[in-house]
Amino acid sequence: TASLRPGTESLRLGPATPVSGLAVAGAWTATGWPVTMESAARSGRAAVEHLDAGGPLRTGAKGPAAGLGRIRTCVPW
């Protein structure tokens, strides 16, 4: 678990981005949990749910995993 400085919670972003069909996920995002593996898992689910709610990735399936076949992962390193 990372030890964050007080006041940094407000700097953690949610899954939404200004780019259609793109969401962010990771332990460092705003999940309401500390920066842990549990936070990373919750963040991934939130990103999928955000993309599913947006419409462009829907393929007719229902639920948080709808459109997963078209979701791509991007790692900055």
Side-chain angles (χ1 to χ4, degrees):
T1 303
S3 179
L4 303 178
R5 293 181 186 186
T8 58
E9 179 66 29
S10 64
L11 301 174
R12 295 171 74 183
L13 304 175
T17 70
V19 179
S20 177
L22 178 68
V24 295
W28 47 270
T29 61
T31 62
W33 284 64
V35 181
T36 60
M37 290 299 292
E38 177 69 18
S39 180
R42 289 173 176 267
S43 176
R45 182 180 179 116
V48 169
E49 289 174 349
H50 172 74
L51 291 173
D52 184 46
L57 294 177
R58 288 193 178 190
T59 61
K62 294 185 179 181
L68 273 178
R70 295 179 53 200
I71 296 174
R72 299 291 179 254
T73 308
C74 178
V75 181
W77 54 86

